[in-house]
Amino acid sequence: MASPKQEGWRSRRGGGSGNRGSRRAGTSRGNKVTQPCRNLQQTGHCRFGATCTYSHEIRSGFIGEASSKKARDRPEPTCEQQRAKDDYNSWKRLVKTLPKPNDTRTIALVWKSALEILNGDDRDCKQMLPRDLDDEAHYGRQHIHAVLSMRGGDSNFVNLASPFLSVITHPALLDCLSVDTSVGALYNYISGANGSRAIPFLQHLGIRLRETPRGPGLPSSTAILESTIIAMSTALRELLRRERRTNFHDDLPALVNTLEEVTEAPGVNLNTLAVQIVRNIIGELRGMITRANSLLPHENETFASETSPSVTTSTYPRELVLPQDRHDNDKMDITKINILPTEAEIRSDHAPFLPSTDLNQPHFLLDPAERHLDTHFRLYRHDCSGEVSEALGAAMIAIENDKNVLADPSFSLGDVRAYTYPKAQVRYVSIDNRRGLEAQISFPQPRSTRKKSAAERRTAWEESKRLEEGVLLCLLSVDGSKASLLFFTVSQKCVETNKNTGLSCDIHQATITVRLATRLQPDLEKLIQLSCQKTRGLLVEFPSVLLATFVPILENIQRMQELSRLPFRQWILPDRVHTHEEASRPFDVPPPLYARSSNFTFSLKPILKELKDGFLLGSRVSVESRADLDALEARTHLDRGQCQALVAALTREFAFIQGPPGTGKSYLGVQLMQVLQACKRKAKLGPVVVVCYTNHALDQFLEHLIDIGIERVIRIGGRSRSTKLEGKNLRVVSQGESRTKLEGYQLAMTYQELEGQQRHIKRLLGSLHRLSKKPEWEDLKRHLSREHPLIHSQFSEVDDEGFTQVGELPFHSWIRGELPASSDHLESTIKEVLACATRNVHAVTSRDRQRLVDFWAKEVVKEAADSLFESVKEVNDLHQQLTNIHDDVDRRVLQTADVIGVTTTGLARRIATLQRVRCKVVICEEAGEVLEPHMISALLPNVEHFIQIGDHQQLRPQITNFKLSLESQQGTPYQLDRSQFERLSVGEKGRPPFPVAQLNVQRRMRPQISSLIRETIYPHLLDHENTKEIPDVVGMRKNVFWLDHDNFEEGAQSDVHQKSHRNVWEVEMVHALVRHVVRQGVYSSTDIAVLTPYTGQLQKLRAKMRNDFEIVLSERDQETLIKEGFNIGDNLPEDDQTVSGAASGTNSIEKKKMSDLLRVATIDNFQGEEAKVVILSLVRSNKQRKVGFLKTNNRINVLLSRAQHGMYLIGNTDTYSMQPMWRQIHAMLQGTESVGRAIGLCCPRHTETEIQVSQPDDFARLSPEVAAIGASQDATRRACIASSHARNPANAFIALAITTVRNKPAGRIVAGV
């Protein structure tokens, strides 16, 4: 048990102040210390904070020297650096001078000089400029006002306004997170109240631009027009983003109309890049205005037309239910919705509002883009938390009916995977320097760990996948008769035995460190209440719910909705067509914005066979241009389909490339990347962002880029398994980037403020802890003096004559005093007791005195909790400032890269940084597997070219809630697992499909295998010539075969977490077949893959074969097994997994090498991979002919397209014949006599010998190559393994890692002929 000292409120930083020694020597209170703090100078922060007796004032010449010890040894500035510093000081002198009225010369000098500084290379000067403009000690705002107040009808007005707008929209200001606060303050001033300062200025400028004469003979006017109109529209967009009230300015629509009129004025070339940029921004501005107007209350607005046709599954008229405050989180505006469900939402009996993805169905939003974002936000949120919400709602009802549930270790939350920890209690709350406010929750050790030693408990918790960092927790408790809940995430999983608290240090209690999952004040107050009252409850863990995997994506969609931003909306949401002619009209997708000039070309030199040649591809070349395709095919290593796909990807701003299995999607992606890198400088592309759904696919693609010489690659995210990318990780690369002087100063000041706030929070927590035990006078007197002064005066230690009372305090005497209530005394209200105490506190009865103290304590707790919330909020803001500084360092590093690699989740998590990286091209691999909410989130603000590479006819995106899937009847209206790639490629009802370039030459499968998917899915798929030379599978009569059987499957286990299927007979058969193939001496175990649709079968196969092989499970399969409730922690220790030595049987045992690994996987987690020989366990075998997972063509397609040399299916043909595609596959295999109740084996030397096996035991008797395993086996059987026809008989079994029991060597006896 923890000691009492460990149970209360406390800070992580400890309680003692320590001896500061000579730090206070020589100083006295009130003396002004001018000597700078050495700690601040050398380390960037001071641990004494505000109590430090030395100066923390940062002088202008001192900034940056406080950020690092290295700054003191900074080398002398170069001539260029000194010149930049002199120029900056000259500009700063202007800003420090009050501007004179109508001084146009100074106005021009200030803003042209500022623009030169921002265009320069000195990072320090760039970051200091907005800070000095915003400094109230200078006159920056007055200089801004001088520009904004200008009015004029000549060109001089435009010439003065143009550099000002270029400064406030410069990337050095808008992209830099370190100065974002200063930039925000500048825009706040520029705006004025509701845009009153900015809108008239911009409107006047727009009129002047519209009336400015221009034409071929006035090139300077045209140049000024283009630069000014881009800066003007960008400034207005930034203004509306930062100052939301400006959206409601009455003259804003007229201003946007003026902008549009400027682009359409006579003499303006509508095809210029500037005009197209401005028109794109105008579209965003109109969307923001429309959204702002929709948020205003409109008189007489009703939803009388709520009756509308329901979802596509029914034509009966039903009510269109609207989200209108049916509970506290039922909002029409998704930006106002809390991502985690609220308690009122969980308790609500109303069904959640889930709009249909069918655009022909009704929705309360009329704008297609707003509706699209709204729909996918709601559906994805429900997929991530809907089932959790339903389970918790039922649990709260159960708890209110029976409070004993809180102590019941067997309580279940139904079908939702969750672990429960009864009798949980918030032990104390603390403040951590890095993680912020945390709580420690204790609960009794699980039964499995109670009788273990400390070391055993540590091992058990370490190997357990429970309570991993980031996992969602919920603490259910009872307040009176009402159940309540509080969401947390695991902040730190401590398993050390030498700590005061943790999961393994105490034999009876386990403690986990958590933090609140929300930042809402009621939740913090609830946490304080639970801690003070030592309330016990039921802690629920949802191990498959990780907020970090979905919250960033939902938050990003909310931001996009708030800004009305959806790039490429015309392609993502195509217009409805009404005639056949419109439907057959091809999409006219223009080139990316950066490539629209008439003379722009892509250089294909990097991918040519002869590098000395040149090949330029115009940005407007048609994908049907035979001459260009012929030349491209002849001069590169690309086939015809790849050439068409490359042209489509380069010449369409929004491009889809479909790659059937084995057609080289990744290879084409690498070629495409080489071409883009060749035009990077010319087109100012910035880094190319590569987005993948899985870490594995991302690693593979980035490794290919490094292999061809693209070294400036940065990988974002810490889940990479690639050793080649270790030095390319953003975390590693950023360590070499130095901070600017301003950033060093900001870090120092922020850390100093953090220390002060943490000390304040520590005091508040200590006060709250004392109040929860026994309120003291010190805790109450300040509150009484402020809220109840007449009562406070009665506890004064000084009497009326001025004498001070000694001994016990009056308050303590009063609280211990006794004044019994009269016999007829009725229970008084607290208000009456307060009134009595105000008159005479000593007239209050003993019982009411304690009531008063408890009441005052509650008032103090409420005040302290409110103060705590504000302090915690301030700490969160300070942590965000620190994050912004570090993120800006990352941004500068990322901007220097050629390629940035990130997963869809990682992109959303780092969106604040990535949206400030100037990158114009995004390539999304595995696009068919990416949920549309993820794809929407990948649309970065600066993107001009978006390329998706995938195959919608392979696996679809994975979702949690099957009721939202297009594979379920209930999911028909929602179809959340339909990717954007599939939705647009196939097309929607009434809307034409988007053009897709399809690769059509496969290089993976032998023709007998590829024919199975060619005849069913890909009619245009061709076989490369090399596939016709793939050798036959050694030891097998057929290269493709379906072994039919009628051995029934086992039903799903009763355990709700293991609702999977398994077939024991197939496990035995697969095991025997794998051993046979490996024993031929041609294929190692790494050449073979065993696939199955079910995790239950995966676990069975793994358990069966791990004594013979080192089984490899992908990270995703491991996660799936854990999610389904299977234990994967029972693998043999690495030291125990051995492989037999040479033929003597007496050689030492060796550890298995990586080349001896056998891949066992589920079909869903093997897409994108391949193996020479694939053995498939189909599992399902039942009288009802239920196919289960393999009823969809997508999964069948993946299953049939993984093998290169040979593929062997083991399953009940009668069960699978009910599915149309399976029926077709069965007929095709029957036509080649490749289906049967027995599978043919083959001796390479005696090919005429028929060997048929139909049962697992047949292999031991009939296999051409057999060994007796171990001395206890029966007599060695004869087999054909003579050295004359075995490639390597001495090592025939080396590839097969055979062991008997753990740590026991496997004997190997080869039978003679």
Side-chain angles (χ1 to χ4, degrees):
M1 294 290 290
S3 67
K5 291 182 180 179
Q6 297 169 353
E7 294 180 0
W9 301 84
R10 59 184 178 185
S11 168
R12 280 281 189 193
R13 299 185 59 83
S17 60
N19 181 12
R20 300 189 177 180
S22 61
R23 188 161 184 81
R24 294 188 179 274
T27 65
S28 61
R29 186 175 300 179
N31 291 343
K32 183 177 180 180
V33 180
T34 58
Q35 185 177 351
C37 172
R38 185 171 299 176
N39 280 346
L40 189 66
Q41 283 182 313
Q42 296 179 352
T43 66
H45 66 277
C46 172
R47 65 190 181 92
F48 301 112
T51 63
C52 180
T53 56
Y54 294 98
S55 174
H56 284 190
E57 179 182 356
I58 307 297
R59 306 178 187 88
S60 59
F62 176 67
I63 292 178
E65 295 177 0
S67 66
S68 171
K69 185 176 180 180
K70 296 179 181 179
R72 296 187 302 165
D73 303 321
R74 198 184 300 274
E76 289 294 322
T78 63
C79 294
E80 290 79 8
Q81 290 172 332
Q82 187 60 49
R83 189 179 303 113
K85 188 175 181 180
D86 292 341
D87 291 343
Y88 185 82
N89 288 334
S90 298
W91 172 83
K92 191 172 179 179
R93 282 193 292 272
L94 293 172
V95 177
K96 292 165 70 174
T97 304
L98 184 68
K100 299 176 181 178
N102 303 319
D103 187 358
T104 56
R105 178 181 175 279
T106 301
I107 291 175
L109 191 58
V110 166
W111 299 110
K112 287 182 179 179
S113 299
L115 189 58
E116 290 176 0
I117 292 169
L118 295 177
N119 287 332
D121 297 325
D122 193 294
R123 290 188 327 209
D124 291 324
C125 293
K126 289 181 181 182
Q127 290 190 354
M128 289 301 299
L129 189 142
R131 185 173 179 271
D132 283 333
L133 272 176
D134 185 47
D135 194 338
E136 293 183 356
H138 304 152
Y139 296 101
R141 296 191 177 192
Q142 286 81 352
H143 282 279
I144 292 174
H145 188 269
V147 179
L148 296 177
S149 59
M150 285 193 311
R151 297 293 184 270
D154 55 8
S155 61
N156 191 42
F157 172 69
V158 176
N159 291 334
L160 292 174
S162 182
F164 164 71
L165 292 173
S166 297
V167 167
I168 67 172
T169 59
H170 199 282
L173 267 64
L174 300 186
D175 295 344
C176 183
L177 285 161
S178 297
V179 299
D180 195 60
T181 301
S182 297
V183 173
L186 291 175
Y187 269 93
N188 177 265
Y189 179 78
I190 292 169
S191 170
N194 300 335
S196 59
R197 192 177 288 125
I199 299 300
F201 165 75
L202 293 174
Q203 176 71 350
H204 184 73
L205 177 61
I207 294 173
R208 297 281 73 77
L209 290 172
R210 186 182 59 192
E211 298 173 353
T212 299
R214 50 193 170 271
L218 299 168
S220 60
S221 298
T222 302
I224 292 175
L225 168 70
E226 291 187 350
S227 62
T228 306
I229 193 66
I230 291 176
M232 177 181 172
S233 56
T234 303
L236 181 57
R237 180 179 61 184
E238 195 68 22
L239 192 69
L240 298 187
R241 285 178 176 178
R242 292 177 180 270
E243 301 296 321
R244 301 293 164 77
R245 291 185 176 273
T246 308
N247 286 275
F248 302 102
H249 195 284
D250 292 338
D251 294 335
L252 182 59
L255 172 57
V256 176
N257 291 336
T258 302
L259 277 173
E260 195 164 35
E261 291 168 2
V262 173
T263 64
E264 296 172 349
V268 174
N269 183 355
L270 300 180
N271 295 319
T272 62
L273 184 62
V275 170
Q276 294 177 63
I277 291 173
V278 172
R279 285 188 168 180
N280 287 345
I281 296 175
I282 288 173
E284 290 187 47
L285 295 174
R286 292 199 186 280
M288 296 168 79
I289 295 171
T290 301
R291 171 173 166 76
N293 290 333
S294 69
L295 296 177
L296 291 173
H298 299 286
E299 291 186 7
N300 301 324
E301 180 183 24
T302 63
F303 295 96
S305 59
E306 291 179 5
T307 301
S308 181
S310 183
V311 295
T312 53
T313 54
S314 171
T315 58
Y316 183 78
R318 298 181 185 274
E319 288 187 357
L320 174 62
V321 179
L322 297 173
Q324 289 181 298
D325 294 319
R326 295 171 297 170
H327 50 75
D328 63 354
N329 208 28
D330 187 43
K331 307 295 183 183
M332 295 186 72
D333 183 1
I334 61 170
T335 65
K336 302 296 190 295
I337 295 177
N338 294 320
I339 291 177
L340 279 178
T342 63
E343 184 172 323
E345 180 181 1
I346 291 172
R347 287 182 175 276
S348 175
D349 293 329
H350 296 285
F353 174 70
L354 299 176
S356 173
T357 55
D358 184 355
L359 297 177
N360 299 316
Q361 294 300 315
H363 194 285
F364 64 87
L365 290 174
L366 299 180
D367 181 76
E370 285 191 18
R371 170 183 177 160
H372 192 64
L373 294 171
D374 177 276
T375 297
H376 283 283
F377 174 87
R378 295 181 190 275
L379 293 180
Y380 187 49
R381 176 179 180 268
H382 186 70
D383 181 58
C384 296
S385 63
E387 292 183 339
V388 169
S389 180
E390 293 173 9
L392 289 174
M396 293 175 75
I397 293 174
I399 290 170
E400 289 173 349
N401 292 333
D402 181 8
K403 295 182 181 179
N404 293 326
V405 168
L406 296 175
D408 184 3
S410 62
F411 179 71
S412 171
L413 272 75
D415 290 343
V416 176
R417 180 175 171 239
Y419 300 121
T420 57
Y421 307 91
K423 300 180 181 179
Q425 176 185 359
V426 178
R427 297 295 295 274
Y428 57 87
V429 177
S430 60
I431 183 73
D432 182 85
N433 291 341
R434 182 172 58 89
R435 296 185 296 269
L437 193 75
E438 294 181 327
Q440 284 69 38
I441 298 181
S442 296
F443 52 88
Q445 286 281 1
R447 185 175 302 174
S448 60
T449 61
R450 288 176 194 168
K451 296 183 179 180
K452 295 181 182 292
S453 66
E456 289 172 333
R457 282 196 305 277
R458 172 178 175 168
T459 302
W461 279 111
E462 273 184 333
E463 294 181 353
S464 168
K465 295 296 181 180
R466 292 193 179 193
L467 298 174
E468 292 292 326
E469 187 173 331
V471 163
L472 180 67
L473 306 176
C474 180
L475 183 61
L476 293 163
S477 59
V478 174
D479 186 2
S481 61
K482 182 182 176 182
S484 63
L485 57 82
L486 204 53
F487 284 114
F488 299 93
T489 58
V490 176
S491 177
Q492 185 182 34
K493 180 181 179 179
C494 178
V495 297
E496 301 296 329
T497 57
N498 58 350
K499 302 289 185 180
N500 291 331
T501 58
L503 291 170
S504 56
C505 60
D506 190 282
I507 190 172
H508 300 294
Q509 292 285 312
T511 302
I512 187 70
T513 304
V514 302
R515 57 172 169 258
L516 285 169
T518 67
R519 293 185 175 181
L520 303 176
Q521 184 165 352
D523 289 349
L524 179 59
E525 292 175 351
K526 181 66 177 177
L527 173 62
I528 299 300
Q529 178 186 343
L530 291 174
S531 179
C532 289
Q533 297 177 359
K534 304 301 180 186
T535 305
R536 292 191 179 273
L538 180 69
L539 183 65
V540 183
E541 175 190 1
F542 299 99
S544 57
V545 181
L546 296 170
L547 299 190
T549 61
F550 65 89
V551 168
I553 291 170
L554 290 171
E555 288 178 340
N556 195 33
I557 295 176
Q558 286 179 315
R559 283 192 294 270
M560 294 176 73
Q561 183 77 303
E562 198 169 31
L563 300 173
S564 298
R565 187 180 69 81
L566 183 64
F568 307 114
R569 67 177 67 194
Q570 70 272 37
W571 312 123
I572 294 174
L573 300 169
D575 293 332
R576 187 181 178 89
V577 295
H578 302 283
T579 65
H580 178 72
E581 181 183 356
E582 288 180 313
S584 59
R585 190 180 303 153
F587 276 86
D588 183 19
V589 184
L593 197 57
Y594 65 80
R596 290 188 191 171
S597 61
S598 57
N599 59 349
F600 187 91
T601 56
F602 293 97
S603 172
L604 304 185
K605 184 175 181 179
I607 64 172
L608 298 178
K609 294 177 181 177
E610 298 293 334
L611 295 180
K612 62 182 179 181
D613 294 346
F615 192 135
L616 299 178
L617 182 74
S619 62
R620 298 186 182 274
V621 169
S622 170
V623 295
E624 305 298 333
S625 173
R626 178 168 297 183
D628 289 294
L629 293 175
D630 288 343
L632 189 57
E633 187 175 11
R635 299 177 64 182
T636 67
H637 296 283
L638 303 175
D639 60 48
R640 189 73 170 192
Q642 290 172 332
C643 290
Q644 283 186 307
L646 181 69
V647 172
L650 292 172
T651 60
R652 294 172 179 167
E653 67 172 1
F654 196 74
F656 281 6
I657 300 174
Q658 183 188 5
T663 53
K665 293 187 293 293
S666 296
Y667 175 76
L668 177 66
V670 171
Q671 303 301 299
L672 174 62
M673 183 65 75
Q674 288 182 282
V675 176
L676 290 172
Q677 292 300 318
C679 71
K680 176 186 174 183
R681 186 181 299 274
K682 176 175 66 174
K684 299 179 180 179
L685 295 184
V688 177
V689 178
V690 177
V691 184
C692 293
Y693 176 62
T694 63
N695 285 283
H696 176 68
L698 180 62
D699 287 347
Q700 281 189 328
F701 190 82
L702 297 182
E703 285 178 346
H704 290 323
L705 297 182
I706 293 173
D707 290 341
I708 63 169
I710 300 178
E711 287 290 337
R712 298 182 73 85
V713 173
I714 294 181
R715 165 72 149 90
I716 297 178
R719 302 192 68 181
S720 172
R721 298 292 183 89
S722 169
T723 56
K724 190 177 292 187
L725 295 173
E726 286 178 353
K728 308 288 186 181
N729 193 280
L730 175 61
R731 182 186 65 257
V732 176
V733 179
S734 293
Q735 292 175 358
E737 179 74 5
S738 61
R739 289 192 289 265
T740 64
K741 296 177 180 179
L742 178 62
E743 288 166 348
Y745 167 72
Q746 289 176 326
L747 284 174
M749 294 298 97
T750 305
Y751 280 123
Q752 180 178 330
E753 289 185 60
L754 264 177
E755 289 182 356
Q757 286 293 341
Q758 287 167 353
R759 283 193 298 272
H760 180 59
I761 289 174
K762 178 185 174 183
R763 288 193 296 269
L764 288 173
L765 293 176
S767 174
L768 287 167
H769 172 53
R770 290 191 302 271
L771 287 167
S772 68
K773 290 184 175 181
K774 183 180 179 181
E776 298 290 344
W777 175 241
E778 288 297 319
D779 303 312
L780 301 177
K781 65 178 182 180
R782 185 177 177 186
H783 172 74
L784 290 178
S785 66
R786 186 174 62 254
E787 300 296 331
H788 308 285
L790 295 178
I791 297 177
H792 176 268
S793 63
Q794 297 179 59
F795 293 124
S796 175
E797 299 175 52
V798 181
D799 61 21
D800 295 339
E801 298 180 1
F803 292 100
T804 301
Q805 179 180 333
V806 296
E808 191 175 42
L809 293 174
F811 174 81
H812 292 161
S813 303
W814 173 80
I815 194 65
R816 289 194 303 103
E818 295 185 4
L819 182 64
S822 61
S823 58
D824 60 345
H825 180 73
L826 300 177
E827 182 75 24
S828 303
T829 65
I830 194 65
K831 187 176 181 180
E832 292 172 337
V833 176
L834 275 173
C836 176
T838 303
R839 293 189 299 271
N840 183 3
V841 74
H842 297 286
V844 178
T845 65
S846 300
R847 183 175 59 180
D848 286 343
R849 291 181 186 186
Q850 189 58 51
R851 289 177 62 198
L852 266 182
V853 172
D854 293 341
F855 175 76
W856 293 332
K858 286 181 180 179
E859 286 188 322
V860 174
V861 166
K862 186 176 180 180
E863 287 182 4
D866 185 71
S867 179
L868 178 65
F869 173 76
E870 295 301 327
S871 294
V872 169
K873 184 179 178 182
E874 180 66 24
V875 166
N876 290 334
D877 291 342
L878 291 171
H879 277 137
Q880 186 59 53
Q881 290 179 28
L882 294 175
T883 299
N884 287 346
I885 295 170
H886 296 304
D887 283 353
D888 202 60
V889 174
D890 289 345
R891 178 192 62 83
R892 293 199 298 269
V893 171
L894 291 170
Q895 194 67 64
T896 65
D898 290 332
V899 178
I900 299 171
V902 64
T903 61
T904 53
T905 303
L907 184 146
R909 194 179 302 173
R910 299 302 303 270
I911 190 67
T913 303
L914 288 169
Q915 68 184 0
R916 286 173 166 81
V917 177
R918 298 279 163 157
C919 47
K920 298 181 179 180
V921 184
V922 175
I923 300 176
C924 183
E925 280 267 2
E926 303 179 304
E929 283 192 88
V930 179
L931 286 166
E932 183 133 11
H934 288 246
M935 192 65 75
I936 292 170
S937 188
L939 295 169
L940 297 172
N942 297 309
V943 64
E944 298 177 6
H945 196 179
F946 198 72
I947 304 167
Q948 297 187 34
I949 304 175
D951 184 8
H952 60 279
Q953 290 172 310
Q954 295 188 57
L955 290 182
R956 290 191 172 105
Q958 296 182 5
I959 61 175
T960 302
N961 194 330
F962 186 65
K963 294 179 182 178
L964 300 177
S965 169
L966 54 77
E967 295 181 16
S968 71
Q969 186 175 357
Q970 305 100 308
T972 303
Y974 313 119
Q975 303 187 18
L976 181 61
D977 56 347
R978 180 182 57 170
S979 65
Q980 185 184 98
F981 192 96
E982 178 180 2
R983 177 175 65 84
L984 295 177
S985 298
V986 175
E988 298 174 279
K989 186 177 179 180
R991 290 168 175 81
F994 190 81
V996 180
Q998 187 184 80
L999 309 181
N1000 62 349
V1001 179
Q1002 72 87 16
R1003 294 168 170 80
R1004 174 188 295 165
M1005 301 161 276
R1006 66 181 328 113
Q1008 297 98 310
I1009 299 174
S1010 63
S1011 64
L1012 299 178
I1013 59 173
R1014 177 166 46 250
E1015 299 298 325
T1016 53
I1017 297 178
Y1018 306 105
H1020 304 296
L1021 187 65
L1022 305 175
D1023 296 319
H1024 194 271
E1025 287 298 317
N1026 292 344
T1027 63
K1028 300 173 184 178
E1029 301 175 2
I1030 294 176
D1032 294 331
V1033 179
V1034 177
M1036 302 300 294
R1037 180 68 57 184
K1038 293 276 188 178
N1039 294 312
V1040 180
F1041 195 84
W1042 187 337
L1043 177 61
D1044 183 22
H1045 71 87
D1046 55 9
N1047 297 278
F1048 285 168
E1049 68 195 63
E1050 290 182 0
Q1053 293 184 6
S1054 59
D1055 185 346
V1056 296
H1057 303 324
Q1058 296 185 8
K1059 287 190 173 178
S1060 191
H1061 297 270
R1062 54 200 64 77
N1063 192 307
V1064 177
W1065 186 88
E1066 289 188 11
V1067 171
E1068 298 290 340
M1069 200 68 188
V1070 168
H1071 179 227
L1073 182 56
V1074 172
R1075 287 166 58 97
H1076 165 75
V1077 173
V1078 173
R1079 285 180 167 188
Q1080 306 311 303
V1082 176
Y1083 298 106
S1084 71
S1085 56
T1086 53
D1087 296 325
I1088 303 172
V1090 176
L1091 304 183
T1092 182
Y1094 291 99
T1095 53
Q1097 188 76 344
L1098 177 70
Q1099 179 73 345
K1100 286 281 187 182
L1101 289 165
R1102 171 175 166 269
K1104 178 66 179 178
M1105 293 194 288
R1106 67 184 179 187
N1107 287 333
D1108 293 337
F1109 304 94
E1110 272 197 40
I1111 305 301
V1112 179
L1113 294 180
S1114 71
E1115 183 178 346
R1116 292 175 66 185
D1117 270 328
Q1118 291 182 46
E1119 292 173 352
T1120 304
L1121 281 173
I1122 295 170
K1123 183 177 180 180
E1124 295 295 329
F1126 293 104
N1127 178 21
I1128 69 166
D1130 56 352
N1131 282 329
L1132 293 175
E1134 182 180 351
D1135 292 341
D1136 293 343
Q1137 298 189 19
T1138 56
V1139 61
S1140 57
S1144 66
T1146 59
N1147 291 21
S1148 61
I1149 302 169
E1150 300 174 353
K1151 289 185 180 179
K1152 293 181 184 178
K1153 300 178 181 178
M1154 290 298 290
S1155 59
D1156 297 325
L1157 304 179
L1158 174 67
R1159 179 70 188 273
V1160 182
T1162 56
I1163 295 163
D1164 283 8
N1165 292 331
F1166 203 72
Q1167 177 164 314
E1169 302 194 44
E1170 59 189 28
K1172 290 181 179 178
V1173 178
V1174 173
I1175 300 173
L1176 304 164
S1177 173
L1178 302 182
V1179 181
R1180 301 308 298 270
S1181 177
N1182 52 72
K1183 294 179 181 179
Q1184 297 79 19
R1185 296 182 176 180
K1186 291 184 178 180
V1187 178
F1189 281 160
L1190 293 181
K1191 68 182 177 182
T1192 60
N1193 291 359
N1194 300 70
R1195 281 197 177 95
I1196 302 172
N1197 180 19
V1198 174
L1199 177 145
L1200 297 175
S1201 58
R1202 301 303 98 196
Q1204 298 171 298
H1205 297 189
M1207 179 176 67
Y1208 303 95
L1209 298 87
I1210 302 176
N1212 187 326
T1213 59
D1214 183 61
T1215 296
Y1216 284 88
S1217 63
M1218 294 300 294
Q1219 203 274 353
M1221 183 171 173
W1222 277 121
R1223 188 162 54 247
Q1224 193 174 354
I1225 296 296
H1226 182 251
M1228 293 170 62
L1229 292 177
Q1230 274 188 322
T1232 59
E1233 298 182 347
S1234 298
V1235 180
R1237 306 286 292 201
I1239 189 169
L1241 309 184
C1242 178
C1243 172
R1245 185 173 179 82
H1246 308 106
T1247 56
E1248 71 285 354
T1249 304
E1250 287 284 343
I1251 305 174
Q1252 297 287 323
V1253 295
S1254 60
Q1255 297 294 330
D1257 293 341
D1258 292 345
F1259 284 90
R1261 295 184 297 103
L1262 303 174
S1263 176
E1265 296 184 355
V1266 68
I1269 310 302
S1272 63
Q1273 296 287 337
D1274 295 334
T1276 303
R1277 301 178 182 89
R1278 298 182 59 79
C1280 185
I1281 192 171
S1283 60
S1284 59
H1285 70 278
R1287 290 191 179 186
N1288 192 356
N1291 296 315
F1293 290 80
I1294 294 299
L1296 178 61
I1298 301 175
T1299 62
T1300 51
V1301 189
R1302 288 170 170 77
N1303 288 332
K1304 292 185 179 180
R1308 178 175 152 271
I1309 305 172
V1310 180
V1313 179

